[in-house]
Amino acid sequence: MELDYSAEEEEFRARLRHWLGTELPKLPARPDPLDWPARRAYDCGWQRRLYDAGYGHVHWDGSPTRRLIFLEETERAGAPYVGAGFVGLLHAGPTIAAEGTPEQRERWLEPVLRGDAVWCQGFSEPEAGSDLASLRTRAVRDGDAYVVTGHKIWTSHAEIADWCELLVRTDPDAPKHRGISWLAMPMDAPGITVRPLRTLAGTAEFAEVFLDEVRVPVANRVGAENDGWRVTLVTLSFERGTAFVGEVVACRRVLGELARTARKNGRWDDPVLRRRLGRLGAEFQALWRLIQWNVSEAAATGAVPGTGGSVFKLSYSHARQELYDAAAAVLGPDALDLGREWPRDRLSSLSYTIAAGTSQIQRNIVAERVLGLPKGR
């Protein structure tokens, strides 16, 4: 396995760096982070610029190595991240690319890449906890449509989304992992009510979604009826294996800023803090190497990330929280100022213990599928 970049890939890096240097000064000011409609317009506008320049496909329909270079260069240049396009670009889109029919790929993928469509994720449900397959939302077949009734929670970007990757129970009598289907639900369909949820950090990127006899065409089902759990595992593989990769680059930038801030405010004189930042630097370097290994393996085995994604997600969640705990130590009393970026990110980092499957779930996957330990009861 080769972890270094080739001359051709470095040429791609140079072209991208030049393009970013030309385009970024043209961008308007970033909107208020709490104003999600404005953030949607800003993020989709940036995605359209990438698409027009030939970089719109880089997240899933190109060389994995080029994607890593893209992430390194956009973060280095301070370019916008995927933002409102997170679900569509980083796990709904790749899932449709891997599991959808040719008609479904033609219908849904191009609008995501052009920045014309935003997706949300309707997986989690109240009282389900970490047991995703215990979902209760029902879909009853009625002619050429499913009639969907239920309640989703922690639905990312529901308030501004055009489409929802939705898990429903289509066979209530089957074992819980075998009676599920994966649907693409239009968010403007009658019967959908969205109620935003305000997080500890003050943002509202999550929502509750209530579904009252919502009709979803059967043609919107990705995969076979009652085979949705297998499709879901593909979605989770992308979510855990590659969706957070760009954030590791951002964390390495924050770590550098932490060190510079500590030198300015005198905290650098503390040897314990210096060792803490040095250890975090080593951890994020190791995570980047793990990412390179994971994307190399995925490219060699069919482009769907494997169980290495759970190793990454578990390690990354812990490292991210430690990073922002260290930020609090550097900032001192200013760490309580929620008007600043790092304190808000510290609160947000707490959610990574449960996002995309809890750390306990990831440990079980690592134990059973990577280490080969006996399955827990």
Side-chain angles (χ1 to χ4, degrees), residues 122-143:
F123 280 16
S124 299
E125 294 194 5
E127 302 179 15
S130 298
D131 189 5
L132 182 60
S134 67
L135 62 92
R136 299 178 180 176
T137 294
R138 291 280 305 276
V140 178
R141 186 80 172 258
D142 180 20

Side-chain angles (χ1 to χ4, degrees), residues 5-15 69:
Y5 299 127
S6 67
E8 182 183 353
E9 289 161 347
E10 290 297 346
E11 184 182 350
F12 169 78
R13 180 195 300 278
R15 288 199 308 274
I69 292 173

